[in-house]
Amino acid sequence: MIPAQRQKYNQQFTQEKYKNFMLELEKGYPEIPFRVAETPVFVTKALKEKLIAAGEEIINLIKQPNFKELTQKSIPADWNVPNENEQPHFLTFDFGICKNEAGKLTPMLIEMQGFPSLYGFQIHLSNTFRKCFEIDHSTNHFLNGFDEEQYIKLFKEVIIGKHQPHEVALMDVDAPNQKTAIDFFVTQKMLGIKILALEDIKQVGKQLFYEEDGQQIQLKRIYNRLIFDEVAGNSDIFKDSFDPREELDIEWVTHPNWFYRISKYTMPFLNSEFVPETRFLDQVESVPADLENYVLKPLFSFAGMGVIIDVTEADINKIPDPENWILQRKVNYEPAVQSPDGGVKAEIRMMYLWPDGGEPQLCINLARLSRGKMIGVRYNADFDWVGGTVGFMEE
């Protein structure tokens, strides 16, 4: 997207360099099970400013006094966790890179989450790109004036809070074997917190404990990476550990209810040039005549599962719970990243940290490249110059 940077990068690129880059990325860590793209994305200052403006519009909605009231129905009754706090600790907004009517690149919102992303790994990935390739220092993977030291300080504040690192744990069902475990290990190294599988945590009264060297250590705060959507209908996973839906003496980073509040459910409430027309399916009075320009998405699904891209009226009529679906105008990605053999589509995730009692702060980003119908890495396994990466943005 920055022509000079793209040309410079592509000229220096070799498969040997990419192989060495992957070896460096995985050094000291288990093998990464998802595809890492051969290239970063070079983002112009003009596009960066649009991405920032788009994010600010969304945050203005989230900070409205009635936001919780607007989104109360987003939380499934079976998965409503008590003691919700007043704010999420993370905001991630995914924007497809498109062309507007004037022919300029512009972001269009695809997805949003009040849930953590790869806040540790993206720093490691960016540093490894810089180490293995010549990346111009007029670009930066950090935003909002952050550098690495400032970022880690804020990250610690958000995750650890007022506690000691041993009182805080990153938790997922089977944390060490998750697809994103590389992020868990980088975060542990960065912050000094524990990584615990759900079964490692035991409940005594309202308190939670884990065992280390024969000692029971009380957990005060959980960096939650467990996505309830992935375990819905399987409450048995909690029987040998603890059930998050009970009253517990624990702080959540971030509280599980925010996963639902800030999600596809929020998009129909946004009216912006950066947000495609989105309506709850049960509020669509007549099926659009140009249905081929729309996509049908379940509200409660993860990583693009259940999305119907080529929608028919029959698909709509078959939906038993239209209140749990959205009909969204399709976003046409521009193949704006030039690979050695043609254009590649890009999506950029703007990533915010929101400390207790503070304001949301835009810190870093994540990018994904695609040649397939959908952006996620699982949908692009058979291509090259696709997968997870990072945006180096013009200062």
Side-chain angles (χ1 to χ4, degrees):
M1 296 182 202
I2 305 175
Q5 304 290 357
R6 173 51 56 206
Q7 188 176 5
K8 175 185 169 186
Y9 187 91
N10 287 17
Q11 284 174 346
Q12 66 166 308
F13 180 84
T14 65
Q15 283 298 328
E16 189 64 28
K17 277 190 174 182
Y18 176 64
K19 185 179 175 184
N20 290 336
F21 160 77
M22 287 303 301
L23 288 171
E24 189 69 32
L25 196 63
E26 294 176 337
K27 189 184 291 182
Y29 298 108
E31 185 178 337
I32 298 171
F34 57 85
R35 196 172 199 289
V36 179
E38 283 84 342
T39 180
V41 179
F42 298 104
V43 179
T44 62
K45 188 175 182 181
L47 182 57
K48 177 180 80 170
E49 287 173 353
K50 286 182 183 178
L51 285 159
I52 292 169
E56 286 175 353
E57 288 186 14
I58 301 167
I59 288 171
N60 286 339
L61 172 72
I62 294 166
K63 292 177 78 173
Q64 284 181 194
N66 67 337
F67 183 73
K68 281 195 172 185
E69 185 184 336
L70 272 181
T71 57
Q72 194 57 38
K73 289 181 181 176
S74 68
I75 305 167
D78 291 348
W79 295 99
N80 198 338
V81 173
N83 302 318
E84 183 183 328
N85 65 338
E86 289 308 305
Q87 66 186 60
H89 294 94
F90 311 96
L91 296 171
T92 66
F93 306 143
D94 291 350
F95 295 97
I97 304 306
C98 309
K99 263 192 179 170
N100 61 19
E101 290 177 359
K104 301 289 188 184
L105 292 180
T106 195
M108 288 297 284
L109 184 67
I110 305 298
E111 189 89 62
M112 54 197 291
Q113 289 185 334
F115 191 79
S117 182
L118 308 184
Y119 282 86
F121 178 67
Q122 288 305 110
I123 306 304
H124 175 54
L125 175 63
S126 304
N127 290 340
T128 308
F129 265 123
R130 287 201 182 276
K131 184 174 182 178
C132 297
F133 295 94
E134 291 177 37
I135 307 293
D136 197 288
H137 285 278
S138 65
T139 63
N140 201 343
H141 55 287
F142 288 110
L143 291 132
N144 199 23
F146 275 89
D147 60 24
E148 191 158 330
E149 184 180 350
Q150 292 166 328
Y151 174 77
I152 292 173
K153 182 181 178 186
L154 180 62
F155 195 31
K156 279 184 177 176
E157 181 186 345
V158 168
I159 303 297
I160 298 172
K162 62 182 184 293
H163 303 292
Q164 297 300 313
H166 70 273
E167 297 174 320
V168 181
L170 185 157
M171 184 271 289
D172 205 338
V173 176
D174 182 15
N177 296 307
Q178 290 291 335
K179 262 198 160 185
T180 53
I182 179 74
D183 179 67
F184 301 173
F185 295 124
V186 172
T187 299
Q188 181 181 49
K189 188 175 180 182
M190 200 180 276
L191 306 183
I193 62 175
K194 301 295 296 181
I195 298 173
L196 297 178
L198 185 63
E199 63 184 16
D200 296 329
I201 302 172
K202 305 301 178 191
Q203 182 176 346
V204 179
K206 289 187 176 183
Q207 296 178 330
L208 301 179
F209 295 85
Y210 69 95
E211 186 175 312
E212 186 167 73
D213 300 328
Q215 300 289 315
Q216 294 295 314
I217 298 172
Q218 185 183 350
L219 270 180
K220 304 287 183 66
R221 196 166 168 98
I222 288 177
Y223 179 20
N224 179 46
R225 303 299 291 264
L226 169 59
I227 296 173
F228 286 0
D229 269 14
E230 293 190 312
V231 299
N234 183 22
S235 295
D236 285 352
I237 64 162
F238 300 126
K239 69 182 182 193
D240 295 324
S241 180
F242 73 100
D243 192 325
R245 296 165 294 185
E246 292 181 11
E247 284 280 349
L248 297 167
D249 183 13
I250 195 73
E251 295 173 10
W252 292 98
V253 188
T254 192
H255 191 283
N257 290 358
W258 288 104
F259 173 81
Y260 296 104
R261 290 191 185 279
I262 299 172
S263 64
K264 290 188 284 286
Y265 190 92
T266 322
M267 292 182 69
F269 301 109
L270 289 162
N271 182 16
S272 165
E273 65 175 296
F274 304 118
V275 180
E277 175 201 334
T278 306
R279 289 178 287 169
F280 293 110
L281 189 58
D282 66 337
Q283 295 177 15
V284 175
E285 292 178 359
S286 60
V287 174
D290 60 338
L291 196 53
E292 69 276 8
N293 293 322
Y294 287 81
V295 60
L296 196 57
K297 296 181 177 180
L299 287 175
F300 309 116
S301 72
F302 180 66
M305 304 298 282
V307 173
I308 302 172
I309 293 180
D310 300 312
V311 191
T312 66
E313 195 161 346
D315 291 324
I316 291 174
N317 293 335
K318 278 189 293 190
I319 301 294
D321 54 343
E323 71 279 5
N324 291 326
W325 290 72
I326 53 172
L327 188 66
Q328 185 177 81
R329 183 166 281 279
K330 276 182 181 173
V331 169
N332 295 312
Y333 291 77
E334 178 68 16
V337 176
Q338 293 304 311
S339 78
D341 61 348
V344 180
K345 295 178 285 189
E347 194 169 282
I348 294 178
R349 174 174 292 174
M350 302 293 269
M351 297 165 61
Y352 301 73
L353 290 171
W354 196 340
D356 290 322
E359 292 290 323
Q361 297 188 51
L362 175 59
C363 304
I364 55 170
N365 77 91
L366 176 155
R368 292 185 291 187
L369 298 180
S370 171
R371 296 179 193 255
K373 268 196 170 184
M374 293 180 69
I375 284 280
V377 290
R378 70 174 69 190
Y379 304 103
N380 286 271
D382 299 327
F383 300 106
D384 63 0
W385 284 65
V386 298
T389 184
V390 66
F392 285 112
M393 304 201 179
E394 194 171 29
E395 295 276 41

